[in-house]
Amino acid sequence: MSEPIVSIDVSEVREGMLEDLKALMKELVEFVAANEPRPIAYQIFLDQAGSMMTVIQVHPDSASMEGHMEVAASLFRRFSDLLTLLRIDIYGEPSDELVRRMREKGRMLGDAPVAVHRLHAGFTRFEPRSR
């Protein structure tokens, strides 16, 4: 059984671009919700100052996130004037193809490094246990 993939992107919002970024992020979230049935979570967080943005994705497996990178890739370039991607952290066992695509995204949006964190110990539950 394949394990879930968690991806966390951290970006700096460019000066004066917060409202444009918010609108584009809503569009992206709606696009992902409508066109990608497999992601478990796709969430955007802004700090109180509106200067930092964190995107958290949870996918059931690497193939799901590869699909996201394929389907949503055309939208990523639209972010290049709105933010600077600082880093991408991937948790789990991503495929080589997924890591390659994430590195491309990192270069396109700010020359951000991509770090892969492999599971040492733990488990995942997607549904509550019955008692």
PDB file of all heavy atoms in Angstrom, residues 99-121:
ATOM      1  N   VAL A  99       9.308  14.653  -7.686  1.00  0.00           N
ATOM      2  CA  VAL A  99      10.399  15.519  -7.204  1.00  0.00           C
ATOM      3  C   VAL A  99      10.890  16.407  -8.353  1.00  0.00           C
ATOM      4  O   VAL A  99      11.114  17.605  -8.167  1.00  0.00           O
ATOM      5  CB  VAL A  99      11.546  14.682  -6.606  1.00  0.00           C
ATOM      6  CG1 VAL A  99      12.740  15.557  -6.276  1.00  0.00           C
ATOM      7  CG2 VAL A  99      11.068  13.947  -5.349  1.00  0.00           C
ATOM      8  N   ARG A 100      11.018  15.863  -9.532  1.00  0.00           N
ATOM      9  CA  ARG A 100      11.442  16.650 -10.693  1.00  0.00           C
ATOM     10  C   ARG A 100      10.477  17.804 -10.952  1.00  0.00           C
ATOM     11  O   ARG A 100      10.880  18.948 -11.150  1.00  0.00           O
ATOM     12  CB  ARG A 100      11.548  15.757 -11.941  1.00  0.00           C
ATOM     13  CG  ARG A 100      12.078  16.496 -13.176  1.00  0.00           C
ATOM     14  CD  ARG A 100      11.972  15.652 -14.434  1.00  0.00           C
ATOM     15  NE  ARG A 100      10.606  15.415 -14.866  1.00  0.00           N
ATOM     16  CZ  ARG A 100       9.831  16.321 -15.463  1.00  0.00           C
ATOM     17  NH1 ARG A 100      10.269  17.535 -15.682  1.00  0.00           N
ATOM     18  NH2 ARG A 100       8.606  16.008 -15.834  1.00  0.00           N
ATOM     19  N   ARG A 101       9.188  17.498 -10.940  1.00  0.00           N
ATOM     20  CA  ARG A 101       8.171  18.533 -11.190  1.00  0.00           C
ATOM     21  C   ARG A 101       8.168  19.598 -10.090  1.00  0.00           C
ATOM     22  O   ARG A 101       7.992  20.782 -10.367  1.00  0.00           O
ATOM     23  CB  ARG A 101       6.794  17.904 -11.316  1.00  0.00           C
ATOM     24  CG  ARG A 101       6.628  17.150 -12.608  1.00  0.00           C
ATOM     25  CD  ARG A 101       5.265  16.492 -12.683  1.00  0.00           C
ATOM     26  NE  ARG A 101       5.164  15.733 -13.886  1.00  0.00           N
ATOM     27  CZ  ARG A 101       4.128  15.810 -14.716  1.00  0.00           C
ATOM     28  NH1 ARG A 101       3.126  16.620 -14.459  1.00  0.00           N
ATOM     29  NH2 ARG A 101       4.099  15.086 -15.807  1.00  0.00           N
ATOM     30  N   MET A 102       8.362  19.181  -8.865  1.00  0.00           N
ATOM     31  CA  MET A 102       8.396  20.153  -7.766  1.00  0.00           C
ATOM     32  C   MET A 102       9.629  21.048  -7.884  1.00  0.00           C
ATOM     33  O   MET A 102       9.564  22.240  -7.588  1.00  0.00           O
ATOM     34  CB  MET A 102       8.362  19.433  -6.423  1.00  0.00           C
ATOM     35  CG  MET A 102       7.063  18.666  -6.178  1.00  0.00           C
ATOM     36  SD  MET A 102       5.589  19.699  -6.189  1.00  0.00           S
ATOM     37  CE  MET A 102       5.638  20.278  -4.503  1.00  0.00           C
ATOM     38  N   ARG A 103      10.737  20.486  -8.320  1.00  0.00           N
ATOM     39  CA  ARG A 103      11.944  21.311  -8.533  1.00  0.00           C
ATOM     40  C   ARG A 103      11.717  22.326  -9.647  1.00  0.00           C
ATOM     41  O   ARG A 103      12.152  23.469  -9.553  1.00  0.00           O
ATOM     42  CB  ARG A 103      13.149  20.421  -8.812  1.00  0.00           C
ATOM     43  CG  ARG A 103      13.629  19.733  -7.556  1.00  0.00           C
ATOM     44  CD  ARG A 103      14.929  18.983  -7.767  1.00  0.00           C
ATOM     45  NE  ARG A 103      15.358  18.468  -6.479  1.00  0.00           N
ATOM     46  CZ  ARG A 103      15.794  17.229  -6.272  1.00  0.00           C
ATOM     47  NH1 ARG A 103      15.895  16.382  -7.290  1.00  0.00           N
ATOM     48  NH2 ARG A 103      16.150  16.846  -5.081  1.00  0.00           N
ATOM     49  N   GLU A 104      11.022  21.922 -10.710  1.00  0.00           N
ATOM     50  CA  GLU A 104      10.682  22.865 -11.786  1.00  0.00           C
ATOM     51  C   GLU A 104       9.827  24.011 -11.246  1.00  0.00           C
ATOM     52  O   GLU A 104      10.068  25.175 -11.563  1.00  0.00           O
ATOM     53  CB  GLU A 104       9.921  22.153 -12.905  1.00  0.00           C
ATOM     54  CG  GLU A 104      10.767  21.288 -13.792  1.00  0.00           C
ATOM     55  CD  GLU A 104       9.950  20.561 -14.847  1.00  0.00           C
ATOM     56  OE1 GLU A 104       8.699  20.719 -14.899  1.00  0.00           O
ATOM     57  OE2 GLU A 104      10.557  19.816 -15.639  1.00  0.00           O
ATOM     58  N   LYS A 105       8.841  23.666 -10.450  1.00  0.00           N
ATOM     59  CA  LYS A 105       7.978  24.689  -9.842  1.00  0.00           C
ATOM     60  C   LYS A 105       8.804  25.613  -8.957  1.00  0.00           C
ATOM     61  O   LYS A 105       8.648  26.835  -8.991  1.00  0.00           O
ATOM     62  CB  LYS A 105       6.869  24.015  -9.024  1.00  0.00           C
ATOM     63  CG  LYS A 105       5.964  24.969  -8.288  1.00  0.00           C
ATOM     64  CD  LYS A 105       4.965  24.192  -7.447  1.00  0.00           C
ATOM     65  CE  LYS A 105       4.198  25.094  -6.515  1.00  0.00           C
ATOM     66  NZ  LYS A 105       3.323  24.333  -5.614  1.00  0.00           N
ATOM     67  N   GLY A 106       9.686  25.038  -8.157  1.00  0.00           N
ATOM     68  CA  GLY A 106      10.545  25.832  -7.277  1.00  0.00           C
ATOM     69  C   GLY A 106      11.404  26.812  -8.053  1.00  0.00           C
ATOM     70  O   GLY A 106      11.536  27.979  -7.666  1.00  0.00           O
ATOM     71  N   ARG A 107      11.981  26.367  -9.170  1.00  0.00           N
ATOM     72  CA  ARG A 107      12.808  27.257 -10.003  1.00  0.00           C
ATOM     73  C   ARG A 107      11.964  28.361 -10.633  1.00  0.00           C
ATOM     74  O   ARG A 107      12.376  29.509 -10.692  1.00  0.00           O
ATOM     75  CB  ARG A 107      13.525  26.457 -11.090  1.00  0.00           C
ATOM     76  CG  ARG A 107      14.758  25.728 -10.593  1.00  0.00           C
ATOM     77  CD  ARG A 107      15.574  25.140 -11.733  1.00  0.00           C
ATOM     78  NE  ARG A 107      14.858  24.124 -12.491  1.00  0.00           N
ATOM     79  CZ  ARG A 107      14.824  22.828 -12.186  1.00  0.00           C
ATOM     80  NH1 ARG A 107      15.462  22.378 -11.127  1.00  0.00           N
ATOM     81  NH2 ARG A 107      14.166  21.977 -12.931  1.00  0.00           N
ATOM     82  N   MET A 108      10.784  28.021 -11.099  1.00  0.00           N
ATOM     83  CA  MET A 108       9.923  28.978 -11.791  1.00  0.00           C
ATOM     84  C   MET A 108       9.446  30.094 -10.871  1.00  0.00           C
ATOM     85  O   MET A 108       9.336  31.242 -11.284  1.00  0.00           O
ATOM     86  CB  MET A 108       8.709  28.244 -12.376  1.00  0.00           C
ATOM     87  CG  MET A 108       7.716  29.159 -13.058  1.00  0.00           C
ATOM     88  SD  MET A 108       6.300  28.328 -13.832  1.00  0.00           S
ATOM     89  CE  MET A 108       5.837  27.080 -12.660  1.00  0.00           C
ATOM     90  N   LEU A 109       9.204  29.777  -9.608  1.00  0.00           N
ATOM     91  CA  LEU A 109       8.580  30.742  -8.705  1.00  0.00           C
ATOM     92  C   LEU A 109       9.532  31.330  -7.664  1.00  0.00           C
ATOM     93  O   LEU A 109       9.065  31.967  -6.717  1.00  0.00           O
ATOM     94  CB  LEU A 109       7.369  30.104  -8.015  1.00  0.00           C
ATOM     95  CG  LEU A 109       6.239  29.689  -8.955  1.00  0.00           C
ATOM     96  CD1 LEU A 109       5.134  28.992  -8.179  1.00  0.00           C
ATOM     97  CD2 LEU A 109       5.696  30.881  -9.718  1.00  0.00           C
ATOM     98  N   GLY A 110      10.820  31.121  -7.800  1.00  0.00           N
ATOM     99  CA  GLY A 110      11.715  31.772  -6.849  1.00  0.00           C
ATOM    100  C   GLY A 110      13.001  31.039  -6.557  1.00  0.00           C
ATOM    101  O   GLY A 110      13.674  31.353  -5.600  1.00  0.00           O
ATOM    102  N   ASP A 111      13.332  30.064  -7.347  1.00  0.00           N
ATOM    103  CA  ASP A 111      14.533  29.267  -7.120  1.00  0.00           C
ATOM    104  C   ASP A 111      14.521  28.611  -5.739  1.00  0.00           C
ATOM    105  O   ASP A 111      15.525  28.551  -5.035  1.00  0.00           O
ATOM    106  CB  ASP A 111      15.794  30.116  -7.315  1.00  0.00           C
ATOM    107  CG  ASP A 111      16.972  29.274  -7.767  1.00  0.00           C
ATOM    108  OD1 ASP A 111      16.746  28.177  -8.319  1.00  0.00           O
ATOM    109  OD2 ASP A 111      18.117  29.693  -7.538  1.00  0.00           O
ATOM    110  N   ALA A 112      13.345  28.141  -5.347  1.00  0.00           N
ATOM    111  CA  ALA A 112      13.143  27.534  -4.031  1.00  0.00           C
ATOM    112  C   ALA A 112      13.719  26.123  -3.973  1.00  0.00           C
ATOM    113  O   ALA A 112      13.548  25.341  -4.910  1.00  0.00           O
ATOM    114  CB  ALA A 112      11.656  27.478  -3.700  1.00  0.00           C
ATOM    115  N   PRO A 113      14.387  25.786  -2.882  1.00  0.00           N
ATOM    116  CA  PRO A 113      14.867  24.413  -2.722  1.00  0.00           C
ATOM    117  C   PRO A 113      13.711  23.462  -2.406  1.00  0.00           C
ATOM    118  O   PRO A 113      12.694  23.864  -1.839  1.00  0.00           O
ATOM    119  CB  PRO A 113      15.821  24.511  -1.528  1.00  0.00           C
ATOM    120  CG  PRO A 113      15.313  25.669  -0.741  1.00  0.00           C
ATOM    121  CD  PRO A 113      14.739  26.634  -1.748  1.00  0.00           C
ATOM    122  N   VAL A 114      13.897  22.204  -2.786  1.00  0.00           N
ATOM    123  CA  VAL A 114      12.927  21.145  -2.496  1.00  0.00           C
ATOM    124  C   VAL A 114      13.605  20.149  -1.575  1.00  0.00           C
ATOM    125  O   VAL A 114      14.671  19.622  -1.906  1.00  0.00           O
ATOM    126  CB  VAL A 114      12.464  20.445  -3.795  1.00  0.00           C
ATOM    127  CG1 VAL A 114      11.551  19.256  -3.473  1.00  0.00           C
ATOM    128  CG2 VAL A 114      11.768  21.433  -4.721  1.00  0.00           C
ATOM    129  N   ALA A 115      13.002  19.894  -0.422  1.00  0.00           N
ATOM    130  CA  ALA A 115      13.535  18.922   0.532  1.00  0.00           C
ATOM    131  C   ALA A 115      12.537  17.777   0.680  1.00  0.00           C
ATOM    132  O   ALA A 115      11.338  18.012   0.819  1.00  0.00           O
ATOM    133  CB  ALA A 115      13.789  19.574   1.888  1.00  0.00           C
ATOM    134  N   VAL A 116      13.055  16.564   0.643  1.00  0.00           N
ATOM    135  CA  VAL A 116      12.215  15.373   0.834  1.00  0.00           C
ATOM    136  C   VAL A 116      12.507  14.811   2.218  1.00  0.00           C
ATOM    137  O   VAL A 116      13.664  14.594   2.577  1.00  0.00           O
ATOM    138  CB  VAL A 116      12.496  14.314  -0.250  1.00  0.00           C
ATOM    139  CG1 VAL A 116      11.692  13.045   0.019  1.00  0.00           C
ATOM    140  CG2 VAL A 116      12.170  14.881  -1.633  1.00  0.00           C
ATOM    141  N   HIS A 117      11.447  14.587   2.985  1.00  0.00           N
ATOM    142  CA  HIS A 117      11.546  14.050   4.345  1.00  0.00           C
ATOM    143  C   HIS A 117      10.891  12.671   4.339  1.00  0.00           C
ATOM    144  O   HIS A 117       9.691  12.554   4.121  1.00  0.00           O
ATOM    145  CB  HIS A 117      10.832  14.972   5.344  1.00  0.00           C
ATOM    146  CG  HIS A 117      11.273  16.397   5.241  1.00  0.00           C
ATOM    147  ND1 HIS A 117      12.331  16.904   5.944  1.00  0.00           N
ATOM    148  CD2 HIS A 117      10.801  17.419   4.486  1.00  0.00           C
ATOM    149  CE1 HIS A 117      12.487  18.182   5.652  1.00  0.00           C
ATOM    150  NE2 HIS A 117      11.574  18.519   4.764  1.00  0.00           N
ATOM    151  N   ARG A 118      11.656  11.645   4.562  1.00  0.00           N
ATOM    152  CA  ARG A 118      11.162  10.266   4.522  1.00  0.00           C
ATOM    153  C   ARG A 118      10.618   9.857   5.892  1.00  0.00           C
ATOM    154  O   ARG A 118      11.178  10.212   6.928  1.00  0.00           O
ATOM    155  CB  ARG A 118      12.278   9.330   4.098  1.00  0.00           C
ATOM    156  CG  ARG A 118      12.963   9.795   2.826  1.00  0.00           C
ATOM    157  CD  ARG A 118      12.784   8.820   1.696  1.00  0.00           C
ATOM    158  NE  ARG A 118      13.542   9.257   0.535  1.00  0.00           N
ATOM    159  CZ  ARG A 118      12.985   9.619  -0.611  1.00  0.00           C
ATOM    160  NH1 ARG A 118      11.690   9.593  -0.746  1.00  0.00           N
ATOM    161  NH2 ARG A 118      13.724  10.009  -1.641  1.00  0.00           N
ATOM    162  N   LEU A 119       9.556   9.098   5.875  1.00  0.00           N
ATOM    163  CA  LEU A 119       8.921   8.622   7.111  1.00  0.00           C
ATOM    164  C   LEU A 119       9.857   7.692   7.875  1.00  0.00           C
ATOM    165  O   LEU A 119      10.412   6.751   7.303  1.00  0.00           O
ATOM    166  CB  LEU A 119       7.621   7.882   6.774  1.00  0.00           C
ATOM    167  CG  LEU A 119       6.837   7.326   7.956  1.00  0.00           C
ATOM    168  CD1 LEU A 119       6.313   8.455   8.832  1.00  0.00           C
ATOM    169  CD2 LEU A 119       5.681   6.469   7.448  1.00  0.00           C
ATOM    170  N   HIS A 120      10.022   7.962   9.143  1.00  0.00           N
ATOM    171  CA  HIS A 120      10.814   7.090  10.010  1.00  0.00           C
ATOM    172  C   HIS A 120       9.899   6.136  10.773  1.00  0.00           C
ATOM    173  O   HIS A 120      10.168   4.943  10.869  1.00  0.00           O
ATOM    174  CB  HIS A 120      11.638   7.928  10.991  1.00  0.00           C
ATOM    175  CG  HIS A 120      12.292   7.118  12.058  1.00  0.00           C
ATOM    176  ND1 HIS A 120      13.325   6.232  11.790  1.00  0.00           N
ATOM    177  CD2 HIS A 120      12.036   7.014  13.376  1.00  0.00           C
ATOM    178  CE1 HIS A 120      13.671   5.633  12.912  1.00  0.00           C
ATOM    179  NE2 HIS A 120      12.907   6.090  13.884  1.00  0.00           N
ATOM    180  N   ALA A 121       8.820   6.667  11.332  1.00  0.00           N
ATOM    181  CA  ALA A 121       7.869   5.846  12.077  1.00  0.00           C
ATOM    182  C   ALA A 121       6.543   6.579  12.110  1.00  0.00           C
ATOM    183  O   ALA A 121       6.501   7.799  12.052  1.00  0.00           O
ATOM    184  CB  ALA A 121       8.370   5.595  13.497  1.00  0.00           C
TER     185      ALA A 121
END
